């Protein structure tokens, strides 16, 4: 029996951020870390990741949770095995939490690349 096939295509949209991630990695490898190109790509990466995985993905998860809950609560024979429904719910929830965690890490990493270096002893210069 088909189960949550409708959501397969919706969740493929998570990958909208992947080209920007690959470009970001490539810019590091060719020595363009901290460049304007990497800054623009980093903004596109964070925007596409946040939009596709956090906003769109959370919305689609909510819709899928509703559909699975409706299937579990339907009287009569359960249209899907309980273990399958629970497996989808648990794994999707875990992956959503990971997406939020990775998003925070991405913001930290991009911000770190564009930090201005410290003058290397500002406190000691003030004491003199």
């Amino acid at each position: 029996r088909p189960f949550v096939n409708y959501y397969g295509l919706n969740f493929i949209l998570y990958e909208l951020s992947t080209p920007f991630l690959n470009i970001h990695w490539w810019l590091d490898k060719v020595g363009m870390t901290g460049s304007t190109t990497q800054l623009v790509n980093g903004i596109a990466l964070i925007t596409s990741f946040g939009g596709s995985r956090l906003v769109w993905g959370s919305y689609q998860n909510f819709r899928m949770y509703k559909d699975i809950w409706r299937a579990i609560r339907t009287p009569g024979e359960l249209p899907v095995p309980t273990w399958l429904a629970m497996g989808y719910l648990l794994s999707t929830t875990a992956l959503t939490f990971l997406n939020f965690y990775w998003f925070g890490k991405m913001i930290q990493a991009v911000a770190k690349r564009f930090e201005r270096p410290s003058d290397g002893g500002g406190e000691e210069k003030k004491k003199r």
Side-chain angles (χ1 to χ4, degrees):
R1 290 175 255 192
F3 178 59
V4 293
N5 287 350
Y6 167 77
Y7 294 101
L9 183 59
N10 290 323
F11 288 122
I12 288 293
L13 291 175
Y14 274 28
E15 299 307 320
L16 286 174
S17 61
T18 302
F20 300 109
L21 180 62
N22 292 339
I23 292 168
H24 201 77
W25 174 85
W26 181 79
L27 290 170
D28 278 343
K29 299 303 174 198
V30 297
M32 294 181 69
T33 302
S35 67
T36 303
T37 304
Q38 191 172 45
L39 174 62
V40 170
N41 182 71
I43 292 168
L45 171 59
I46 288 174
T47 302
S48 64
F49 190 95
S52 66
R53 291 185 185 235
L54 305 184
V55 176
W56 176 255
S58 295
Y59 171 68
Q60 290 302 318
N61 280 337
F62 174 74
R63 291 187 59 205
M64 186 176 73
Y65 295 158
K66 276 183 24 181
D67 286 348
I68 291 174
W69 182 251
R70 192 176 301 127
I72 290 172
R73 305 294 294 170
T74 300
E77 183 183 341
L78 188 61
V80 297
T82 304
W83 66 267
L84 183 60
M86 291 301 137
Y88 267 83
L89 292 174
L90 290 173
S91 62
T92 302
T93 301
L95 291 172
T96 299
F97 280 115
L98 279 174
N99 282 327
F100 278 93
Y101 173 77
W102 290 328
F103 187 69
K105 289 295 185 184
M106 287 170 52
I107 290 174
Q108 288 175 355
V110 170
K112 185 177 177 181
R113 292 175 192 274
F114 297 98
E115 285 179 352
R116 300 209 189 272
S118 64
D119 60 3
E123 288 298 317
E124 194 159 315
K125 287 181 181 177
K126 289 179 185 176
K127 291 180 183 177
R128 289 184 187 171

